[in-house]
């Protein structure tokens, strides 16, 4: 298949692995921030190709995993409003809230619909003028512009029954928070799709102030191996900087139209992250101009403060401090068919990835 | 003659004149055969075998029509294949319809025609049936149940049971995987993928008969429908207490299915098939079986995709295209698309 086969060539991967072995002298720790990267590393068995000097940590970049229990409890509360239709991306439906999940509420008769694009939610709102249609907005700078576009369209078309519950998040603050907390990281493999939107300037602080390497990477095995090689070269020569490996998609300026939509509709807020607590300026809330589409403004609901499930170490896993193998629940009481923590629920979660690709 | 009404009414299921209009002018017209035409409460079937295989399946697919087939064709293939992989020669089918009030008659006729055509193609006779009509909203358009009876020869009565499987045995499939599941999903959701992914929905009894008649060494057969190839192989590995190793490069997957799976984050091994059979056979017989399968138009892309091994008992391991190895689990829950 074009555009994937070229980037999965065994000979190319092995050649990069060989080069890495040659140049890698210092012991370094790299964090792959994105869940998609964690998937690729395990799916293609890249760990086994790295020299012992290079250690990879999985970061907090799976949007489903970092969505707080509080967010799910709120979504479930919305589903119980008479006439409400909840629209959501598929992998959120099995995530456990405090006592239930959207999947269970669907079986109880609540109207919960899986969609593939936020524009479908808008269509559903148009076709069901008598219902309040809620869209569960999760994801980083990658998915947030689509949500923003839908909100702008709803305003243009005067759709008055479309509401977004925003748990959208931005990437850089959590990366800085992890380093500030003392997690030992020398460089980041940064998510390519985020930078396709934002460009690369968002990481300049990490390189200039924190002295960390950042390479924006694609998601195929050749991409990831090359990104690791680029980081290793930076760190060996003591010149950490922001570089782009994923040049076929990312340019330094990013997508100006998407950036415009983001600032038009959203502003930054302090936000909750599952397992990490509240991180300053790490979330996106809907601006006042678009309050008519803000679920929290139009249907204010308070749900009780949830507590983390007993024995679950998702928080430490999302910080890169522990791996799923350190968890007493992993692959025993916590499995993809009966998940305890969020890292097991999403296909991109670190625990689910470790489970799926264990050997 | 055609049924008089353009839509199904509750009266079509009430046992009266309208129902007889439907039976005579739709069902008997298309399914017609001596046994069915008797219209007795039970079909009396001549059987020349001491052992019969008996199976049943219900079909509730959305959408009813999809590229490569419809619920009628599927209702025949599904039951015929369940009989065939048990080593039986499918002979007789029952067909029951549960129809939602208001269902368009021309759609029902198209489905019935296609069902009849597939039954002729598979050489099975529809000998009994039933029709119920339920109030609007009480079922989703149309459900079909088919049950089937097949005759079993002594030599073949073990192929569904996975006995005598040992390390070194080969695993064969008759073509590309995941086509049915992706074709139906593409038709159901509004992805607008331009690639024409076509369901593999087909009756496999002739292909399977050729293999069983002309070779020895088949130890197990199963049609990997919902849950896909991965789920069948995991069940098998558990049952025989041995490991199974499959090779990603040997696995036939069409470009369309591969691309759609990449975009949605699915694993082709977890996607449903409706015209595929997995065969486990003695390694010495593998080549000959493959040759016979490739002569059938439903087996042109047949391939040996893996082996049974004494390593990693009860686990299915995939050798990846990049040289890694990973465990393939059964499907958990419905396949759900990932956010990014």
């Amino acid at each position: 298949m074009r555009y994937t086969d070229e980037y999965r060539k065994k000979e190319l991967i092995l050649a990069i692995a060989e080069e890495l072995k040659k140049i890698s002298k210092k012991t370094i720790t790299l964090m792959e921030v994105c869940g998609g990267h964690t998937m690729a590393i395990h799916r293609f068995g890249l760990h086994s190709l790295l020299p012992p000097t290079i250690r990879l940590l999985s970061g907090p970049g799976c949007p489903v995993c970092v969505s707080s229990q509080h967010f799910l409890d709120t979504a479930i509360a919305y589903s119980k409003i008479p006439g409400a239709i909840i629209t959501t991306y598929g992998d959120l439906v099995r995530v456990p809230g405090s006592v239930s999940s959207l999947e269970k509420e669907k079986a109880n008769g609540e109207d919960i619909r899986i969609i593939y694009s936020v524009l479908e939610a808008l269509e559903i709102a148009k076709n069901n003028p008598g219902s309040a249609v809620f869209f569960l907005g999760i994801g980083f700078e990658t998915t947030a512009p689509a949500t923003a576009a839908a909100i702008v369209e709803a305003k243009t078309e005067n759709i008055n029954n479309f509401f977004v519950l925003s748990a959208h998040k931005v990437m850089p603050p959590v990366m800085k928070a992890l380093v500030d907390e003392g997690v030992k990281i020398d460089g980041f493999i940064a998510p390519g799709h985020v930078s396709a939107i934002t460009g690369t300037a968002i990481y300049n602080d990490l390189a200039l102030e924190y002295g960390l390497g950042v390479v924006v990477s694609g998601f195929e095995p050749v991409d990831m191996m090359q990104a690791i090689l680029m980081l290793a070269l930076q760190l060996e020569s003591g010149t950490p900087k922001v570089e782009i490996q994923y040049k076929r998609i990312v340019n330094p300026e990013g997508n100006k139209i998407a950036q415009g939509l983001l600032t038009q509709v959203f502003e930054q807020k302090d936000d909750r992250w599952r397992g990490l607590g509240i991180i300053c300026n790490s979330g996106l809330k809907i601006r006042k101009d678009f309050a008519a589409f803000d679920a929290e403004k139009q249907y204010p609901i308070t749900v009780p403060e949830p507590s983390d499930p007993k024995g679950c170490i998702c928080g430490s896993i999302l910080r890169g401090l522990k791996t799923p193998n350190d968890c007493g629940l992993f692959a025993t009481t916590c499995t993809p068919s009966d998940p305890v923590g969020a890292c097991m629920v999403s296909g991109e979660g670190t625990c689910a990835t470790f489970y799926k690709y264990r050997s | 003659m055609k049924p008089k009404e353009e839509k199904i009414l509750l009266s079509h299921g009430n046992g009266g004149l309208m129902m007889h209009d439907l039976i005579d002018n739709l069902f008997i017209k298309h399914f017609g055969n001596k046994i069915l035409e008797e219209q007795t409460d039970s079909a009396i079937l001549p059987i020349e075998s001491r052992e019969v295989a008996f199976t049943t399946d219900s079909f509730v697919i959305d959408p009813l029509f999809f590229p490569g087939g419809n619920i009628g064709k599927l209702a025949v293939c599904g039951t015929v294949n369940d009989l065939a992989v048990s080593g039986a020669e499918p002979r007789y089918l029952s067909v029951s319809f549960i129809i939602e009030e208001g269902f368009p008659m021309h759609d029902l006729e198209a489905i019935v025609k296609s069902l009849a055509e597939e039954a002729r193609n598979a050489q099975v006779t529809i000998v009994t049936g039933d029709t119920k009509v339920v109030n609007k909203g009480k079922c989703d358009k149309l459900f079909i149940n088919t049950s089937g009876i097949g005759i079993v020869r002594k030599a073949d009565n073990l192929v569904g049971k996975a006995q005598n499987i040992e390390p070194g045995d080969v695993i064969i499939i008759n073509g590309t995987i995941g086509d049915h599941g992706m074709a139906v999903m593409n038709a159901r959701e509004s992805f607008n993928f331009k690639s024409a992914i076509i369901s593999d929905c087909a009756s496999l009894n002739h292909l399977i008969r050729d293999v069983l008649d002309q070779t020895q060494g088949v130890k197990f057969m199963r049609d990997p429908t919902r849950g896909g190839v991965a789920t069948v192989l995991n069940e098998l590995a558990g049952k025989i207490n041995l490991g199974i190793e499959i090779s990603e490069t040997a696995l036939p997957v069409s470009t369309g299915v591969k691309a759609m799976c990449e975009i949605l984050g699915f694993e082709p091994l977890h996607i449903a098939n409706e015209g595929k059979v997995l065969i486990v056979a003695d390694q010495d017989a593998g080549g000959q079986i493959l040759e016979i399968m490739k002569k059938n138009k439903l087996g042109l892309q047949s391939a040996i995709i893996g082996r049974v091994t004494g390593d990693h008992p009860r686990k299915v391991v995939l050798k990846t295209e990049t040289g890694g190895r990973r465990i393939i689990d059964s499907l958990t829950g419905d396949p759900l698309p990932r956010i990014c």
Side-chain angles (χ1 to χ4, degrees):
Chain A
M1 189 166 50
R2 278 176 72 198
Y3 309 121
T4 57
D5 291 349
E6 303 90 315
Y7 300 98
R8 291 182 187 176
K9 276 207 176 121
K10 198 172 168 181
E11 308 75 50
L12 210 47
I13 296 168
L14 294 177
I16 301 173
E18 206 45 48
E19 182 66 15
L20 255 177
K21 271 179 201 147
K22 241 187 264 167
I23 64 114
S24 177
K25 305 278 184 294
K26 292 182 188 164
T27 300
I28 56 172
T29 301
L30 308 176
M31 175 175 272
E32 86 276 359
V33 183
C34 176
H37 282 158
T38 307
M39 289 264 291
I41 288 167
H42 287 265
R43 178 173 170 193
F44 298 105
L46 301 187
H47 275 293
S48 61
L49 300 173
L50 299 180
T53 40
I54 297 176
R55 186 169 156 249
L56 295 180
L57 280 183
S58 301
C62 159
V64 174
C65 306
V66 297
S67 298
S68 67
Q69 243 175 321
H70 185 268
F71 173 73
L72 278 154
D73 290 348
T74 309
I76 289 167
Y78 279 131
S79 76
K80 294 182 188 299
I81 296 173
I85 299 173
I86 304 290
T87 58
T88 173
Y89 294 128
D91 38 9
L92 207 52
V93 298
R94 281 205 282 267
V95 182
S98 303
V99 289
S100 183
S101 67
L102 291 165
E103 187 179 41
K104 287 180 187 156
E105 293 305 319
K106 186 170 188 286
N108 285 340
E110 308 305 350
D111 194 343
I112 293 161
R113 304 185 191 181
I114 293 171
I115 55 170
Y116 300 87
S117 150
V118 59
L119 297 176
E120 282 177 61
L122 210 54
E123 258 331 281
I124 293 172
K126 279 187 217 167
N127 296 335
N128 296 274
S131 301
V133 175
F134 295 95
F135 171 70
L136 308 182
I138 62 163
F140 297 97
E141 291 94 331
T142 333
T143 47
T147 307
I151 290 175
V152 171
E153 194 175 325
K155 189 167 185 177
T156 314
E157 294 191 29
N158 268 326
I159 298 169
N160 58 11
N161 62 332
F162 172 72
F163 309 100
V164 173
L165 180 64
S166 173
H168 283 297
K169 293 180 168 45
V170 286
M171 212 71 251
V174 69
M175 292 162 74
K176 286 179 198 163
L178 289 175
V179 183
D180 288 338
E181 263 189 40
V183 180
K184 207 199 143 315
I185 299 167
D186 301 296
F188 285 106
I189 301 166
H193 296 157
V194 166
S195 283
I197 305 291
T198 62
T200 52
I202 55 167
Y203 301 125
N204 285 349
D205 286 359
L206 283 166
L208 295 173
E209 287 174 29
Y210 290 72
L212 300 173
V214 180
V215 173
V216 175
S217 171
F219 297 83
E220 296 298 334
V222 169
D223 291 324
M224 300 217 56
M225 290 299 286
Q226 192 187 7
I228 293 168
L229 178 63
M230 288 164 80
L231 279 166
L233 285 169
Q234 285 184 16
L235 296 165
E236 289 297 332
S237 63
T239 51
K241 58 188 162 201
V242 181
E243 285 186 293
I244 304 171
Q245 178 280 330
Y246 202 24
K247 284 187 179 149
R248 63 188 186 278
I249 300 287
V250 176
N251 70 58
E253 288 76 40
N255 179 333
K256 295 277 183 203
I257 297 170
Q259 290 167 22
L261 275 167
L262 273 182
T263 29
Q264 185 189 355
V265 174
F266 291 113
E267 57 188 328
Q268 281 178 303
K269 66 168 179 185
D270 299 347
D271 203 5
R272 321 171 174 248
W273 293 60
R274 193 184 285 241
L276 302 177
I278 291 175
I279 297 173
C280 227
N281 279 330
S282 65
L284 294 174
K285 71 172 177 187
I286 298 167
R287 285 184 190 275
K288 274 200 188 110
D289 293 354
F290 295 93
F293 308 98
D294 187 343
E296 287 175 286
K297 291 277 155 37
Q298 301 305 319
Y299 292 87
I301 281 184
T302 318
V303 296
E305 205 56 41
S307 53
D308 284 335
K310 263 196 181 146
C312 173
I313 60 164
C314 275
S316 302
I317 290 169
L318 289 168
R319 283 184 178 82
L321 296 174
K322 288 187 175 167
T323 72
N325 295 323
D326 299 323
C327 180
L329 307 182
F330 178 69
T332 54
T333 41
C334 183
T335 61
S337 54
D338 192 11
V340 177
C343 301
M344 185 60 93
V345 181
S346 163
E348 290 186 358
T350 306
C351 294
T353 304
F354 269 64
Y355 188 92
K356 187 171 175 193
Y357 298 131
R358 68 201 190 281
S359 56
Chain B
M1 276 193 39
K2 277 181 173 274
K4 290 186 187 77
E5 301 294 331
E6 287 189 353
K7 293 203 163 172
I8 290 290
L9 309 176
L10 280 173
S11 329
H12 280 120
N14 71 358
L17 279 179
M18 295 273 283
M19 184 157 143
H20 285 285
D21 175 43
L22 192 68
I23 290 174
D24 292 340
N25 294 320
L26 190 63
F27 299 135
I28 301 253
K29 177 175 152 192
H30 292 290
F31 300 156
N33 59 71
K34 275 190 184 141
I35 301 171
L36 187 65
E37 280 156 23
E38 296 285 339
Q39 296 203 37
T40 46
D41 278 351
S42 308
I44 310 294
L45 310 173
I47 295 272
E48 67 272 28
S49 157
R50 286 191 58 181
E51 283 189 298
V52 297
F54 178 43
T55 187
T56 188
D57 209 342
S58 296
F59 300 84
V60 294
I61 194 164
D62 173 33
L64 298 176
F65 295 86
F66 48 84
N70 61 47
I71 188 171
K73 181 181 182 189
L74 189 64
V76 174
C77 300
T79 295
V80 162
N81 292 345
D82 281 348
L83 291 170
V85 295
S86 313
E89 202 167 295
R91 283 292 169 84
Y92 303 111
L93 289 190
S94 72
V95 180
S96 294
F97 296 89
I98 296 175
I99 315 172
E100 186 183 17
E101 178 188 14
F103 188 73
M105 189 65 81
H106 65 89
D107 280 353
L108 185 62
E109 177 144 32
I111 287 164
V112 165
K113 263 188 188 166
S114 155
L115 201 154
E117 189 186 318
E118 189 57 29
R120 275 193 298 278
N121 178 30
Q123 295 173 340
V124 291
T125 312
I126 294 162
V127 290
T128 185
D130 181 51
T131 310
K132 295 283 186 294
V133 179
V134 297
N135 281 302
K136 204 162 179 59
K138 297 292 179 190
C139 89
D140 186 11
K141 299 187 270 295
L142 172 69
F143 299 155
I144 300 180
N145 171 278
T146 53
S147 295
I149 288 176
I151 59 167
V152 187
R153 295 184 307 191
K154 192 93 188 143
D156 300 328
N157 66 359
L158 290 176
V159 293
K161 293 184 179 162
Q163 289 178 357
N164 307 321
I165 294 179
E166 56 194 14
D169 287 349
V170 290
I171 295 158
I172 309 171
I173 195 158
N174 61 315
T176 55
I177 61 169
D179 300 86
H180 177 73
M182 287 295 98
V184 170
M185 184 175 274
N186 198 15
R188 183 173 60 221
E189 312 293 346
S190 44
F191 298 133
N192 299 321
F193 286 129
K194 285 191 181 138
S195 157
I197 301 173
I198 293 170
S199 165
D200 59 346
C201 178
S203 296
L204 297 167
N205 50 327
H206 301 316
L207 177 138
I208 289 172
R209 179 53 41 208
D210 288 349
V211 170
L212 290 178
D213 280 351
Q214 296 172 39
T215 67
Q216 288 184 330
V218 173
K219 298 184 175 181
F220 175 74
M221 289 192 292
R222 182 67 60 81
D223 51 337
T225 53
R226 282 174 305 163
V229 170
T231 304
V232 169
L233 292 180
N234 268 286
E235 280 170 18
L236 179 65
K239 193 168 178 184
I240 60 180
N241 208 15
L242 289 167
I244 290 175
E245 185 177 270
I246 41 181
S247 155
E248 194 164 29
T249 46
L251 212 54
V253 189
S254 76
T255 308
V257 167
K258 215 184 249 183
M260 199 167 156
C261 283
E262 280 292 331
I263 289 166
L264 297 171
F266 293 157
E267 171 67 71
L269 285 162
H270 283 149
I271 309 295
N273 310 277
E274 287 293 345
K276 290 293 161 329
V277 56
L278 272 171
I279 295 178
V280 180
D282 192 287
Q283 56 182 322
D284 296 334
Q288 198 197 353
I289 292 173
L290 205 58
E291 213 171 284
I292 291 164
M293 287 166 77
K294 282 184 171 178
K295 282 185 192 151
N296 189 302
K297 70 177 192 320
L298 299 175
L300 298 175
Q301 297 190 68
S302 298
I304 294 178
I305 59 167
R307 277 171 198 284
V308 177
T309 163
D311 303 335
H312 52 77
R314 310 174 74 82
K315 288 200 167 55
V316 179
V317 170
L318 179 77
K319 276 199 302 188
T320 67
E321 55 192 327
T322 48
R325 292 158 65 86
R326 60 183 166 97
I327 292 176
I328 298 287
D329 277 312
S330 295
L331 178 65
T332 310
D334 263 347
L336 295 173
R338 291 190 288 121
I339 167 177
C340 63

